[in-house]
Amino acid sequence: MNLADCSSHSATARLLHFGSPGAIYLRRFVGSLHVGRCGSNPTHVKTLRLRSNPPKTLTVTAAMASEAEVAASAKIIDGKMVAKEIRDEITTEVSRMKDAIGVVPGLAVMLIGERKDSATYVRNKKKACESVGINSFEVRLPEDSAETEVLKFISDFNDDPAVHGILVQLPLPKHMNEQNILNAVSIEKDVDGFHPLNIGRLAMRGREPSFVPCTPKGCIELLHRYGFQIKGKKAVVIGRSNIVGMPAALLLQREDATVTIVHSRTQNPEQIVKEADIVISAVGQPDMVRGTWLKPGAVVIDVGINPVEVRRLPLRLVGDVCYEEARKVVSAITPVPGGVGPMTIAMLLSNTLSSAKRIHNFQ
Amino acid sequence: MNLADCSSHSATARLLHFGSPGAIYLRRFVGSLHVGRCGSNPTHVKTLRLRSNPPKTLTVTAAMASEAEVAASAKIIDGKMVAKEIRDEITTEVSRMKDAIGVVPGLAVMLIGERKDSATYVRNKKKACESVGINSFEVRLPEDSAETEVLKFISDFNDDPAVHGILVQLPLPKHMNEQNILNAVSIEKDVDGFHPLNIGRLAMRGREPSFVPCTPKGCIELLHRYGFQIKGKKAVVIGRSNIVGMPAALLLQREDATVTIVHSRTQNPEQIVKEADIVISAVGQPDMVRGTWLKPGAVVIDVGINPVEVRRLPLRLVGDVCYEEARKVVSAITPVPGGVGPMTIAMLLSNTLSSAKRIHNFQ
């Protein structure tokens, strides 16, 4: 358990934006870390009732500490388990659709360039598709491809009736115009939900987006499935990126929370976060949000996945929130890893299924 | 000065949404009002330096009260004067464009049905166009027109090179689908800025909307022209309508304020408003925001235009904010009328001019 001390990360903490849209990026934390008490080793078991139909009792884990700490520790919001539950539901629906109308949902993923992290994300998406019975189509193009070549593939996928979702893995090579390429994806197949028309509909009362961006959708889904009330609650979203922070705020707003977005220009962010019943953090700064920032009893959804290096120890992933401190203050928190991460791909599959259902008018 | 007491309005105050988009609607306040100390009679004169190029010293007025009150009273943000300044700038630009390339900006306004308030708004827009040299085109259709007929006119205006902005006066007759009709307006001529693609771009970092909705744009323009800092400030927007509250919040966010939207489901709105350096209120509830809700030194932009009836006295317009109380607490406030109201039409003219410049690539 003696891995790192949150205070050493936070000494250099600033609010940053995610570099670019796509999956959650891993930011490399460079700097010396004191060896102290941070990190989690889930061994303590709690049971928690999830809101689902029919309700299920699930086993969740909380990080082990002293007896006194255990008494005060938060429920763990188990994204891995919820994501599995969702994948199971999708598997059933994909199968039902195939049996009823002979259609199998299809997701096309485009990878341009040789980035290893991007290749891993694409591989994981492909695997996830296979696991639920969704067809996946993959296009890999070299780093120096022309933008027109990418646009041609997108155009073909737009017209292909076997493809119901199109995802262009970001970031793109620098010579390409991301906006042009994302705008070329048909709004009906924009399963990433990044099209401004989708974001506009998300922001507007009385409008419905075709798709909601996967990571923020996953955050809200966790709150729903664990039965946490959103309506009337004070919510703070830390970070205002196009792919997580802003759409998460818009989703909370749609559910009648009173929402504040905290960002790099916010003065006294800790005071604002301290008032929140619900905190969604998506900045990519390891352990930035300390226990003292949090309101007792708050619910914390930690989107950050930050690799930290501790001398002579393997790379470790931590969230934006200092987990060890937070779990003594809040009522529930997502772990990192195993919180929001697995939900993102589950929501991508969910969006692809929804798209296929909509295109084929299948209920 | 003995007109009404803010407390009598506020006794029944609830946060409401604007009924439907378009210009600012007048809501009829029904209920008995005690005769007390509320209302404004601007007679006290102050001077205030506006941020413009070149800077101008302008004369602004503050409500008259006792000597002690005058010492503590807020600057009045004079929307009528700023709107005139903007109209003068537009007149110059329209003339320059005509001389240089022979193009006169044109605004098409459609009025369907016989609503008197809508007819007034349309007449005012036409007059405003004339006053700055913008051509106006007007279509009036009877209440029972078919939706297809409206769509045909919109389509013609979309194709008409003399038309650079299209505005459909809302609300529409009940048998028409507002969404269909607004979506039919070409994004390049959507000077109202209500198209979800525009709202999406407004919400997204790195994207630029073609047009910003006129009333919220007017609010921010007032803050700019009076030189109030937005970056890093805590801002609260009261109301989350598609036409004012939400886009106002997105605009403040774009300018690096830390923004909270307060709405009908917000618990303890007064506590949240009390923390704000900038308050934009757009709910249509007379005198709902009391002096005690406001942080000393805050800047208040009051979008509400609410008619109140006091027995045996003519109908009087008041804002969402209890002006008499607020002006003793805040550093600056817009009056009602004469605050945001005149800015809305000025911004519509500004959007029409921008559209003509963009279409004809005129700098």
Side-chain angles (χ1 to χ4, degrees):
Chain A
M1 298 279 284
N2 276 348
L3 291 173
D5 175 0
C6 289
S7 60
S8 58
H9 303 282
S10 300
T12 55
R14 289 181 305 118
L15 291 179
L16 295 177
H17 321 297
F18 282 166
S20 45
I24 305 304
Y25 290 100
L26 300 182
R27 292 185 62 260
R28 202 167 185 86
F29 181 82
V30 182
S32 64
L33 294 176
H34 302 294
V35 176
R37 238 188 23 74
C38 201
S40 66
N41 185 13
T43 51
H44 176 65
V45 175
K46 280 190 175 186
T47 58
L48 179 65
R49 187 168 285 274
L50 278 199
R51 184 188 285 173
S52 68
N53 194 7
K56 295 170 189 165
T57 302
L58 296 151
T59 303
V60 294
T61 54
M64 183 71 156
S66 71
E67 276 306 301
E69 280 175 331
V70 166
S73 72
K75 289 169 187 165
I76 293 190
I77 300 171
D78 187 342
K80 202 169 166 185
M81 182 206 62
V82 173
K84 186 185 176 311
E85 184 178 87
I86 292 168
R87 283 200 309 274
D88 289 347
E89 292 164 7
I90 294 172
T91 306
T92 307
E93 282 297 284
V94 167
S95 172
R96 188 172 71 85
M97 191 171 177
K98 189 177 175 185
D99 292 347
I101 59 170
V103 171
V104 177
L107 175 68
V109 181
M110 295 189 64
L111 174 61
I112 303 113
E114 331 293 338
R115 282 179 68 116
K116 279 193 180 168
D117 55 350
S118 291
T120 306
Y121 296 136
V122 166
R123 195 166 52 245
N124 289 344
K125 285 166 188 171
K126 196 177 172 183
K127 266 195 214 165
C129 282
E130 283 165 8
S131 78
V132 298
I134 288 178
N135 287 334
S136 68
F137 307 90
E138 197 181 318
V139 169
R140 288 182 184 239
L141 294 174
E143 181 87 14
D144 60 355
S145 305
E147 194 173 306
T148 48
E149 205 174 348
V150 179
L151 292 173
K152 176 69 175 67
F153 273 103
I154 292 175
S155 170
D156 288 348
F157 284 137
N158 282 341
D159 295 338
D160 188 342
V163 171
H164 305 97
I166 302 169
L167 188 149
V168 183
Q169 186 65 46
L170 300 176
L172 291 165
K174 284 192 181 143
H175 66 283
M176 291 188 185
N177 182 322
E178 184 182 299
Q179 199 165 322
N180 282 352
I181 288 177
L182 293 186
N183 284 355
V185 174
S186 157
I187 185 80
E188 301 307 321
K189 299 187 178 184
D190 173 39
V191 285
D192 254 345
F194 295 155
H195 196 290
L197 194 53
N198 267 325
I199 300 293
R201 289 176 184 159
L202 193 62
M204 294 172 83
R205 292 167 72 79
R207 304 287 180 120
E208 288 300 326
S210 304
F211 302 101
V212 173
C214 301
T215 303
K217 187 179 176 183
C219 297
I220 304 299
E221 191 68 23
L222 284 175
L223 295 173
H224 284 173
R225 296 226 175 197
Y226 275 86
F228 294 118
Q229 195 189 331
I230 300 176
K231 186 174 180 168
K233 297 293 179 190
K234 268 184 159 179
V236 164
V237 176
I238 313 178
R240 53 177 166 172
S241 67
N242 290 342
I243 56 162
V244 187
M246 176 54 77
L250 296 175
L251 280 167
L252 289 165
Q253 167 75 51
R254 281 177 92 87
E255 303 229 4
D256 289 335
T258 300
V259 186
T260 306
I261 299 182
V262 162
H263 51 77
S264 57
R265 303 298 176 191
T266 297
Q267 288 169 15
N268 304 317
E270 60 275 29
Q271 281 176 18
I272 297 170
V273 175
K274 183 95 183 176
E275 290 172 12
D277 304 303
I278 299 168
V279 176
I280 297 183
S281 184
V283 281
Q285 274 291 78
D287 291 337
M288 185 192 73
V289 178
R290 307 297 302 268
T292 53
W293 290 37
L294 297 162
K295 180 178 174 176
V299 175
V300 175
I301 306 289
D302 190 350
V303 182
I305 303 178
N306 312 292
V308 293
E309 283 174 327
V310 181
R311 220 168 297 157
R312 288 192 296 276
L313 286 172
L315 208 68
R316 194 170 66 92
L317 296 178
V318 302
D320 293 344
V321 180
C322 178
Y323 183 86
E324 280 301 296
E325 290 178 4
R327 69 184 189 85
K328 295 173 198 159
V329 179
V330 302
S331 64
I333 184 168
T334 54
V336 176
V340 176
M343 292 297 288
T344 298
I345 290 189
M347 292 298 105
L348 175 65
L349 302 176
S350 163
N351 280 353
T352 306
L353 171 64
S354 300
S355 176
K357 283 184 169 183
R358 186 162 44 219
I359 289 171
H360 295 280
N361 200 20
F362 179 75
Q363 303 295 327
Chain B
M1 296 281 283
N2 277 349
L3 290 173
D5 175 2
C6 290
S7 60
S8 58
H9 305 279
S10 300
T12 54
R14 289 182 303 120
L15 291 178
L16 295 177
H17 320 297
F18 282 169
S20 45
I24 306 306
Y25 291 100
L26 300 182
R27 292 186 62 262
R28 202 168 183 86
F29 180 80
V30 181
S32 65
L33 295 175
H34 303 294
V35 175
R37 240 188 23 73
C38 201
S40 66
N41 185 13
T43 50
H44 177 65
V45 175
K46 281 190 174 185
T47 59
L48 179 65
R49 188 168 284 275
L50 279 197
R51 183 188 283 172
S52 68
N53 195 7
K56 295 171 189 166
T57 301
L58 296 149
T59 303
V60 294
T61 54
M64 183 72 158
S66 70
E67 277 305 302
E69 281 174 329
V70 166
S73 71
K75 289 170 189 165
I76 293 190
I77 300 171
D78 188 342
K80 203 169 164 186
M81 182 205 61
V82 174
K84 184 183 177 311
E85 184 178 86
I86 292 168
R87 283 199 309 274
D88 289 347
E89 292 164 9
I90 293 172
T91 305
T92 306
E93 283 298 284
V94 167
S95 171
R96 187 172 72 85
M97 190 173 179
K98 189 178 174 184
D99 292 348
I101 60 169
V103 171
V104 177
L107 175 68
V109 180
M110 293 189 65
L111 174 62
I112 303 114
E114 331 292 336
R115 284 179 65 118
K116 279 193 181 169
D117 54 350
S118 291
T120 305
Y121 296 136
V122 166
R123 196 167 50 244
N124 290 344
K125 285 165 188 171
K126 196 176 170 183
K127 265 195 214 166
C129 282
E130 283 166 8
S131 78
V132 297
I134 288 178
N135 288 334
S136 68
F137 306 90
E138 198 181 319
V139 169
R140 288 182 182 236
L141 294 173
E143 181 87 15
D144 60 353
S145 305
E147 195 173 305
T148 49
E149 205 175 348
V150 179
L151 292 172
K152 177 69 175 65
F153 273 103
I154 292 175
S155 169
D156 289 348
F157 284 138
N158 282 341
D159 295 338
D160 187 342
V163 171
H164 306 96
I166 302 169
L167 187 148
V168 183
Q169 185 65 46
L170 299 177
L172 291 165
K174 283 187 181 150
H175 67 282
M176 290 187 185
N177 183 322
E178 184 182 300
Q179 201 166 320
N180 283 353
I181 288 176
L182 293 185
N183 284 355
V185 175
S186 157
I187 186 81
E188 300 308 322
K189 299 187 178 183
D190 173 37
V191 284
D192 254 345
F194 294 155
H195 196 291
L197 194 53
N198 267 325
I199 300 293
R201 289 177 183 158
L202 193 63
M204 294 172 83
R205 291 168 73 79
R207 304 285 181 121
E208 288 299 327
S210 304
F211 302 101
V212 173
C214 301
T215 302
K217 186 178 177 184
C219 297
I220 304 299
E221 191 69 24
L222 284 175
L223 294 173
H224 283 173
R225 297 226 174 197
Y226 274 87
F228 295 118
Q229 196 188 329
I230 300 176
K231 186 174 181 169
K233 298 293 179 187
K234 269 184 161 181
V236 165
V237 176
I238 313 177
R240 52 177 167 172
S241 67
N242 289 342
I243 56 163
V244 187
M246 177 54 78
L250 297 175
L251 280 167
L252 289 165
Q253 166 77 50
R254 280 178 93 86
E255 303 228 2
D256 289 335
T258 300
V259 186
T260 306
I261 299 182
V262 162
H263 51 77
S264 56
R265 305 297 177 194
T266 297
Q267 287 168 16
N268 304 319
E270 60 275 28
Q271 281 177 18
I272 297 170
V273 175
K274 183 95 184 176
E275 290 172 13
D277 304 303
I278 298 168
V279 177
I280 297 183
S281 184
V283 281
Q285 274 290 80
D287 291 337
M288 187 192 74
V289 178
R290 307 297 303 268
T292 53
W293 289 36
L294 297 163
K295 180 178 176 176
V299 175
V300 175
I301 306 289
D302 190 349
V303 183
I305 304 178
N306 312 290
V308 294
E309 283 173 329
V310 180
R311 220 167 298 157
R312 289 192 296 277
L313 286 173
L315 209 68
R316 194 170 66 93
L317 295 177
V318 302
D320 292 345
V321 179
C322 179
Y323 183 86
E324 281 301 296
E325 290 179 3
R327 72 184 187 83
K328 295 173 198 159
V329 179
V330 301
S331 64
I333 185 168
T334 54
V336 176
V340 176
M343 292 296 289
T344 298
I345 290 188
M347 292 299 105
L348 175 65
L349 301 175
S350 164
N351 280 353
T352 306
L353 171 64
S354 301
S355 176
K357 282 184 169 182
R358 185 162 45 220
I359 289 171
H360 295 279
N361 200 19
F362 179 75
Q363 304 296 323

